[in-house]
Amino acid sequence: MPMREGTYGLLAEFDTPSQLVHAAENAYSAGYRRMDCYTPYPLEEAAAAIGFHKDYVSLVCLLGGLMGVAAMFSLETWISVWSYPLNIAGRPYFSWPAFIVPAYEWTILYAGLSAAFGMLALCGLPKVYHPLFNAPNFRSGATSDKFFLCLESVDPKFDLGETRSFLEGFTPASIVEVEY
Amino acid sequence: MATKGAPVNDPMIDPITGEYVVVAPGHTFKSVTETISRIVLTPHTPLGWYAGFALAGGVATVLLVAVLYLFLTGVGIWGITIPIAWGFAIINFVWWIGIGHAGTLISAILLLFKQGWRNSINRFAEAMTIFAVVCAGMFPLIHVGRPWLGYWLFPYPNTMNVWPQFRSPLLWDVFAVSTYATISVVFWYIGMIPDLGTLRDRSKSKFGQFIYGMFAMGWRGSVRHWVRYETASLLLAGLATPLVLSVHTVISFDFAVALLPGWHTTIFPPYFVAGAVYSGFAMVITLAVPIRKFYHLEDLITLRHLDNMAKVMLTTGLIVAYGYAMEVFMAYCYSASHWEYFMMWNRMFGPMGWAYWVLITCNIALPQFMWFRYVRTSIPLMFLMSLIVNTGMWFERFVIVVTSLYRDYLPSSWGTYRATTWDYATFVGTLGLFTFLFFLFVRFLPMIPMSEIRMMLPQAKVQPESGNVVEAGH
Amino acid sequence: MANGHHAKTLPAELNAPAFVAGWRMKALAVGAAFSVIAIILGFLSGDGWNHFLRAWLVGLMLCFGFAVGGMALLMVQYLSGGKWGLLVRRPLEAMSRTLPVAFVYFLPIGFFMKKLYLWAQYPDGKAAYSQHLINAEQAHAIIFKKGILNPTTFWATSIVCFLIWAGFGFLLNSWSLKRDADTEPNVPYWQKKFENISGIGVVTYSILLTACAILWVMSLDPTWYSTVYGLQFLVGQGYAVLALVILTLIGLSNAEPIRTIFRVTEQHDLGKLCFAFTMLNMYLAFASFLIIWSGNSPEEIPWYLDRIRGGWGVIATLDVIFHWLIPFSLLLSRDLKRIKGRLVVVCCIMLFARLWDTFWLVEPNFADARRNLHFSVGILEYIAVPAAMIAFWMAYYFTQLTTRPLVATNDPHVAEILEPEHAHA
């Protein structure tokens, strides 16, 4: 990917979650869509304010779990019935009650790994470089005690001057222009 | 005991509910971040840490020597014999893995039940899980005799054309424990990503920024990421809960599936799980009390935590007591089986009967003092209680393994069991290894999840009149 | 968006809405209809009212489960805390006050125990064996367990259990009203008081319930025993009580005051609890099955074979499907737990599963039915008798619901439950 240049977006910094949610709600209703909030802890109201409701992590997890149970149960069946049948204390080759246990463990293994790595993949992580890290106040605050709203330049409604004055209406602690 | 209308002056007590608070009042987002990340990022490692680290490392060396000698010589150096082929190795395995379970439960079940008080202790409880599983997993591996062939346990295509036998609970164990170890590590790591981001942003050293930055994977606190992250955490918690149950259940199957009086009984799965949680919570207290003191975390690990953990211990201890009672009742009064009757008599009054009474004293009798709030909120008494329970739970596994095996159906095959120095050395060595790993953890990783503590502060809530409220404490 | 941040207020009228009286009338009508059917079937079946009594035992176990299990869950919510506890408190109190009905239902079992229990029918195991009325294993068990399995112990234990439960029920119910009449600063005092009684109460409940489960149901087959049996009943009661309390709340949420305080968050939490009990129930059942199946010992495995062979496998499979597969698959969905209409369906299936399971536990104990599932007029009693008993029990339960306000007010959770909800739970 070629290096992109120019402005990534305008980053407004707030001291309280309430101010952030207020600003985000207004930005959304003013027609901005390409934006994101950054908070030091999960803030559901902010996600709702920018119109993000549904994530697909549960679906990935469910598919992983189904894969796990199918994989282990068929492996056990194939080994015990066809590939390497053994008579163990007269139990049937197809000892389904015994097979349930490892199949259950693999359901959880696959589902858990799918949830964890699925979440990371959906978030686009790992991503060690991101333009926002160029903003000094972002680095010192976003993962500690400050609340940020970033309106991104790719949004058709974005205009450096207008957007800046729009954000100033919410009395942020600062507004920083972030470069790519 | 309850009294009406007593005025509440203690700032650590919530005036509405009369409970101890989970986080001391007056904290801000910044002070929480400071308090926790300081421990990791400080350039001045406390001398006490070095001392403890060296001591733990020394004890862990004992394990190294014991295992080395074992590999050179064979399992004959242990006290295992026929009929007791499962000696200390399995006792310690079950004991350690049981300790691990509380960590997962604190993270998982309490997260599902929205118990906010878990947030301060879940990280190091999870760490405890992982280190306990490391110690536990070693025992079956070194017990197999030829540990370098341990990979035969897994089903993989091979030139010998043989496959594992899936009707054996010992194979179920392989899947249960390996899944448990994997999921615990993943759950722990995923939970740590936001805090690693904080450390990356606050670290002063280039090296710290690089290492924490790599492990934080570029976490930047986007609310979209947070939503997915929360879902993934809840899902992992939802998966870890039945996983914990299944792991100790599978371990109980190791015993219960065999047709041996004292082992073959249907109460084993739930009562093993309860016992695991019981000893695990005891270990959390054993660890939390000194850490809280040493790192001055009294604001974040409060008497409320101690009180609640004591209640969980009391509950699980009573479930364990129920298990013992059912075993005794069925064997003595209801089984109509002489083998069962003899097993129970022998367990209580046979040559090794003392172990049974140690177990009853430590696991059932003494913990009843936790009915008193005074005991539950007294730090020295709870520390003592946690040691008692851990001893009791070790003896429980001893009683189950040894007293069931050494006198089974056929008197001509009876024997006895005596552990050797190497048995003790291996066990003590794992205690050292566990502590050693724990020292590394508290020094280099955030032991209390910062993002979750921030979430619990009163100012974390969005106020109704958006934007107009100026937050106190800035 | 912004209006979602405002708190609600508690309605002035907290008593049960008028339509609860209508529910009661319907329950009474259903009860009467099924009673008539049950009596007609009793005469038609021509088995000396044997099936009637067996079905009565099934009905007893279910209604008794609601009464005593409701009280147990009431105590558990005092101990665990949580906002869902406030919501379910009054319905559970109403359930715990139905203990007299359970006791009345118990009496016929006590009076006619000779028709149900082998050990009551043949108190002298040796003589019965020599006359070939019972086999050697049964004779051995009856003789060995004489100290526990005899009419005196049966009556004494049952009555002591009912008395102790009545004592706990009385205290829990009367204190709850006193607490509401008291002032707010005394909440910590009441919380301690309730925690103390509940702690002791839950322990007592577990012991007594185990005794009842062993005496009333497990001893139908005197030769067999399982150490987890009492615990399985305990979890089964929690399973049924949760389903019933959710149904009650959703039914009541059509009107005030429950409409205001029953938020989706707490509904979701209760749904999760149902899910947990679904798992726990299956876990205990499967674990004990796997242990006995793997052991394959002639002392134990016949109990399962009686309930699998001769057509019973169908009932057992359906039991797993009703009890676990359907509720489990449905409750996995987050949306389902949050939509009232769908959660109702799951709860109904769960209650039906309890009936199905108890039938599977009880009927194969008897020589005419074990390893031989067949149709007879008598077997229809398993529908008619429990239906009538549950319907009458419900009528009494609805009466109890109307006797006090549906919301316990003197509790800090009241303010929390009136707060607006988070979007993402």
Side-chain angles (χ1 to χ4, degrees):
Chain A
M1 203 167 105
M3 284 284 282
R4 297 182 69 175
E5 286 182 24
T7 307
Y8 171 77
L10 278 174
L11 183 69
E13 175 188 342
F14 298 96
D15 283 335
T16 71
S18 312
Q19 285 174 310
L20 171 76
V21 171
H22 178 68
E25 277 171 2
N26 279 294
Y28 191 81
S29 51
Y32 288 97
R33 288 297 177 270
R34 297 297 301 263
M35 59 176 168
D36 209 342
C37 299
Y38 300 89
T39 54
Y41 59 88
L43 191 63
E44 288 151 16
E45 288 87 347
I50 61 168
F52 185 76
H53 296 289
K54 194 142 183 75
D55 62 83
Y56 293 95
V57 180
S58 312
L59 184 68
V60 175
C61 175
L62 178 70
L63 291 178
L66 291 174
M67 221 158 78
V69 69
M72 186 44 103
F73 203 85
S74 34
L75 179 73
E76 288 173 307
T77 309
W78 176 73
I79 287 175
S80 311
V81 178
W82 289 289
S83 178
Y84 197 59
L86 291 171
N87 183 337
I88 304 295
R91 292 184 191 119
Y93 290 139
F94 180 61
S95 291
W96 62 267
F99 297 169
I100 285 178
V101 182
Y104 176 91
E105 301 299 337
W106 265 33
T107 315
I108 291 184
L109 181 69
Y110 275 49
L113 293 179
S114 310
F117 292 106
M119 182 272 288
L120 291 176
L122 287 168
C123 291
L125 298 176
K127 181 176 193 156
V128 263
Y129 176 77
H130 192 275
L132 281 172
F133 291 126
N134 294 333
N137 63 338
F138 185 81
R139 291 210 53 175
S140 67
T143 54
S144 167
D145 58 342
K146 299 290 186 202
F147 301 82
F148 293 89
L149 171 66
C150 182
L151 299 180
E152 291 161 24
S153 63
V154 285
D155 193 289
K157 221 180 129 44
F158 186 85
D159 174 275
L160 203 53
E162 245 174 60
T163 306
R164 180 183 280 276
S165 58
F166 174 75
L167 281 173
E168 269 162 4
F170 307 109
T171 59
S174 73
I175 298 178
V176 178
E177 190 184 329
V178 182
E179 303 282 324
Y180 269 110
Chain B
M1 282 289 112
T3 43
K4 269 194 194 182
V8 182
N9 292 322
D10 191 341
M12 296 298 276
I13 293 180
D14 185 334
I16 298 173
T17 58
E19 298 273 2
Y20 285 99
V21 293
V22 179
V23 182
H27 270 288
T28 62
F29 297 132
K30 206 171 186 69
S31 71
V32 167
T33 312
E34 282 287 335
T35 313
I36 300 166
S37 60
R38 189 173 52 210
I39 298 169
V40 177
L41 297 175
T42 175
H44 311 290
T45 311
L47 266 181
W49 184 86
Y50 282 116
F53 184 70
L55 185 71
V59 181
T61 316
V62 175
L63 176 70
L64 209 64
V65 174
V67 170
L68 193 69
Y69 183 53
L70 176 81
F71 284 4
L72 294 173
T73 323
V75 288
I77 63 167
W78 291 347
I80 48 176
T81 54
I82 297 299
I84 302 162
W86 283 11
F88 264 37
I90 197 86
I91 298 170
N92 296 338
F93 165 66
V94 181
W95 188 72
W96 271 120
I97 206 139
I99 283 173
H101 285 347
T104 321
L105 278 198
I106 286 175
S107 315
I109 290 198
L110 300 181
L111 177 66
L112 296 179
F113 280 102
K114 300 181 185 168
Q115 299 283 320
W117 61 273
R118 80 179 254 289
N119 291 351
S120 323
I121 52 173
N122 71 342
R123 174 74 46 73
F124 78 74
E126 282 169 40
M128 186 189 87
T129 298
I130 292 165
F131 305 147
V133 172
V134 167
C135 294
M138 217 164 51
F139 280 104
L141 212 61
I142 60 177
H143 186 209
V144 293
R146 287 185 288 170
W148 50 92
L149 298 179
Y151 64 91
W152 283 8
L153 290 164
F154 288 96
Y156 70 102
N158 54 66
T159 51
M160 300 173 285
N161 252 328
V162 295
W163 291 95
Q165 197 274 94
F166 283 98
R167 298 167 197 88
S168 161
L170 300 180
L171 191 68
W172 305 341
D173 245 4
V174 173
F175 291 102
V177 175
S178 60
T179 300
Y180 186 48
T182 315
I183 294 293
S184 301
V185 171
V186 168
F187 192 24
W188 187 55
Y189 176 60
I190 292 287
M192 219 152 31
I193 288 177
D195 282 357
L196 290 170
T198 306
L199 291 181
R200 167 200 65 203
D201 292 347
R202 298 185 65 80
S203 177
K204 297 278 180 289
S205 77
K206 210 76 204 148
F207 182 70
Q209 285 172 2
F210 177 75
I211 287 288
Y212 289 126
M214 279 323 227
F215 281 104
M217 298 208 278
W219 181 264
R220 51 188 187 276
S222 155
V223 286
R224 288 193 173 86
H225 294 184
W226 273 123
V227 169
R228 296 193 190 103
Y229 172 89
E230 289 274 276
T231 311
S233 300
L234 279 175
L235 285 170
L236 281 169
L239 291 165
T241 308
L243 177 62
V244 168
L245 254 69
S246 79
V247 171
H248 230 70
T249 298
V250 169
I251 288 168
S252 81
F253 286 156
D254 290 345
F255 302 98
V257 158
L259 272 177
L260 187 75
W263 283 7
H264 186 69
T265 181
T266 49
I267 194 82
F268 257 33
Y271 121 70
F272 262 58
V273 172
V277 179
Y278 191 33
S279 64
F281 269 83
M283 191 55 114
V284 175
I285 292 180
T286 313
L287 294 174
V289 168
I291 287 182
R292 167 183 193 273
K293 186 90 195 143
F294 186 73
Y295 283 110
H296 307 293
L297 296 171
E298 284 89 347
D299 281 3
L300 300 175
I301 304 176
T302 64
L303 289 179
R304 172 77 173 279
H305 294 102
L306 214 58
D307 188 27
N308 281 351
M309 287 194 280
K311 284 176 185 165
V312 174
M313 278 168 68
L314 190 59
T315 313
T316 46
L318 286 166
I319 299 176
V320 170
Y322 179 89
Y324 299 154
M326 286 312 291
E327 278 189 314
V328 174
F329 170 75
M330 288 295 175
Y332 269 145
C333 314
Y334 203 87
S335 69
S337 153
H338 295 293
W339 312 114
E340 292 281 340
Y341 185 92
F342 173 77
M343 176 278 298
M344 196 44 79
W345 177 87
N346 183 46
R347 186 176 273 186
M348 287 177 167
F349 308 112
M352 291 206 190
W354 58 272
Y356 185 80
W357 298 109
V358 171
L359 141 77
I360 294 293
T361 312
C362 294
N363 264 4
I364 310 292
L366 293 176
Q368 299 312 315
F369 282 107
M370 284 189 291
W371 282 96
F372 301 105
R373 192 178 157 90
Y374 175 77
V375 176
R376 290 201 304 266
T377 51
S378 153
I379 292 164
L381 284 179
M382 279 312 295
F383 187 68
L384 184 68
M385 196 62 83
S386 72
L387 297 178
I388 290 174
V389 168
N390 267 322
T391 314
M393 284 309 294
W394 191 88
F395 271 97
E396 181 198 294
R397 279 64 179 252
F398 180 84
V399 165
I400 290 172
V401 171
V402 175
T403 65
S404 310
L405 271 176
Y406 83 110
R407 290 181 162 187
D408 66 353
Y409 296 101
L410 198 62
S412 66
S413 71
W414 288 2
T416 189
Y417 178 72
R418 183 95 44 230
T420 64
T421 318
W422 290 108
D423 278 309
Y424 289 107
T426 318
F427 177 53
V428 172
T430 51
L431 289 171
L433 176 67
F434 179 78
T435 325
F436 179 76
L437 292 171
F438 214 86
F439 269 102
L440 285 177
F441 161 69
V442 295
R443 181 62 190 80
F444 295 108
L445 291 169
M447 67 177 132
I448 296 180
M450 294 179 253
S451 61
E452 289 173 29
I453 298 287
R454 287 183 204 120
M455 200 159 54
M456 290 196 304
L457 296 180
Q459 57 266 44
K461 278 190 187 165
V462 174
Q463 303 297 323
E465 292 301 313
S466 309
N468 298 337
V469 180
V470 179
E471 190 191 335
H474 272 281
Chain C
M1 215 52 239
N3 58 1
H5 298 320
H6 287 291
K8 294 179 280 190
T9 49
L10 202 63
E13 177 61 48
L14 292 178
N15 282 321
F19 57 71
V20 176
W23 292 357
R24 185 176 52 203
M25 282 312 296
K26 275 183 206 156
L28 284 174
V30 170
F34 275 107
S35 305
V36 173
I37 297 173
I39 289 167
I40 294 171
L41 285 173
F43 281 113
L44 285 181
S45 64
D47 60 358
W49 297 83
N50 260 321
H51 274 94
F52 184 90
L53 266 176
R54 296 172 196 174
W56 187 279
L57 182 63
V58 170
L60 164 70
M61 289 321 286
L62 292 171
C63 297
F64 164 79
F66 292 140
V68 176
M71 183 157 68
L73 196 64
L74 177 68
M75 296 190 282
V76 166
Q77 64 83 24
Y78 279 125
L79 291 173
S80 74
K83 287 169 222 165
W84 62 274
L86 175 73
L87 281 173
V88 299
R89 201 171 291 165
R90 286 292 150 84
L92 290 179
E93 282 174 11
M95 281 188 213
S96 73
R97 291 196 300 275
T98 62
L99 194 68
V101 179
F103 181 66
V104 171
Y105 284 174
F106 162 74
L107 292 175
I109 299 294
F111 290 134
F112 298 104
M113 68 173 95
K114 276 196 162 60
K115 279 191 177 293
L116 284 171
Y117 302 98
L118 214 56
W119 49 265
Q121 196 180 353
Y122 306 111
D124 188 353
K126 212 167 182 172
Y129 175 57
S130 60
Q131 291 162 32
H132 303 288
L133 294 167
I134 51 177
N135 63 29
E137 289 79 26
Q138 288 165 335
H140 173 69
I142 288 173
I143 295 163
F144 189 94
K145 302 175 189 178
K146 187 90 182 144
I148 294 164
L149 301 183
N150 63 65
T152 319
T153 314
F154 188 88
W155 273 107
T157 312
S158 307
I159 287 178
V160 166
C161 289
F162 274 111
L163 282 176
I164 294 175
W165 276 320
F168 276 105
F170 173 76
L171 289 178
L172 286 166
N173 278 291
S174 63
W175 287 358
S176 180
L177 281 186
K178 281 185 198 152
R179 170 176 173 166
D180 271 9
D182 207 340
T183 53
E184 204 188 315
N186 287 330
V187 166
Y189 162 80
W190 285 107
Q191 247 159 12
K192 290 277 127 33
K193 214 167 149 90
F194 274 112
E195 272 174 27
N196 290 343
I197 191 180
S198 302
I200 301 163
V202 170
V203 174
T204 319
Y205 157 81
S206 317
I207 298 167
L208 300 186
L209 177 69
T210 306
C212 289
I214 291 173
L215 277 177
W216 297 357
V217 192
M218 192 163 94
S219 77
L220 286 168
D221 180 349
T223 59
W224 184 80
Y225 66 93
S226 164
T227 40
V228 80
Y229 201 77
L231 213 54
Q232 275 180 298
F233 264 85
L234 192 144
V235 171
Q237 289 194 346
Y239 183 98
V241 165
L242 267 172
L244 183 64
V245 87
I246 292 178
L247 285 179
T248 311
L249 281 175
I250 290 180
L252 290 171
S253 69
N254 290 324
E256 298 298 350
I258 301 293
R259 188 191 337 216
T260 306
I261 64 163
F262 191 40
R263 305 187 300 174
V264 179
T265 313
E266 277 71 38
Q267 183 189 327
H268 192 175
D269 286 349
L270 286 170
K272 282 186 202 160
L273 266 180
C274 266
F275 185 72
F277 269 88
T278 310
M279 293 289 286
L280 206 55
N281 191 63
M282 191 60 217
Y283 160 70
L284 291 182
F286 176 72
S288 70
F289 170 70
L290 185 59
I291 289 170
I292 290 174
W293 178 88
S294 290
N296 202 22
S297 136
E299 289 176 358
E300 297 172 324
I301 196 70
W303 191 86
Y304 277 107
L305 294 180
D306 288 349
R307 283 161 180 76
I308 291 172
R309 293 195 170 159
W312 281 100
V314 179
I315 304 288
T317 311
L318 286 172
D319 194 8
V320 174
I321 291 173
F322 294 144
H323 234 127
W324 178 72
L325 189 65
I326 296 178
F328 171 83
S329 319
L330 294 177
L331 287 171
L332 266 182
S333 151
R334 172 174 175 270
D335 291 339
L336 185 135
K337 281 176 276 198
R338 302 170 78 89
I339 296 172
K340 289 199 173 78
R342 297 191 192 164
L343 194 57
V344 164
V345 176
V346 177
C347 290
C348 289
I349 294 171
M350 287 170 71
L351 287 178
F352 176 71
R354 286 308 300 157
L355 177 67
W356 191 271
D357 184 64
T358 319
F359 165 65
W360 180 75
L361 281 179
V362 169
E363 175 73 0
N365 284 305
F366 300 96
D368 58 313
R370 70 171 63 119
R371 306 192 196 196
N372 176 22
L373 177 67
H374 61 283
F375 179 79
S376 64
V377 179
I379 214 157
L380 294 175
E381 292 279 32
Y382 280 106
I383 303 168
V385 178
M389 289 169 79
I390 293 172
F392 285 129
W393 179 87
M394 288 280 180
Y396 192 78
Y397 168 55
F398 295 142
T399 314
Q400 291 302 325
L401 269 184
T402 57
T403 56
R404 51 174 75 182
L406 285 176
V407 190
T409 47
N410 194 15
D411 192 301
H413 284 316
V414 173
E416 291 172 29
I417 220 157
L418 292 169
E419 279 174 12
E421 301 181 74
H422 282 291
H424 185 92

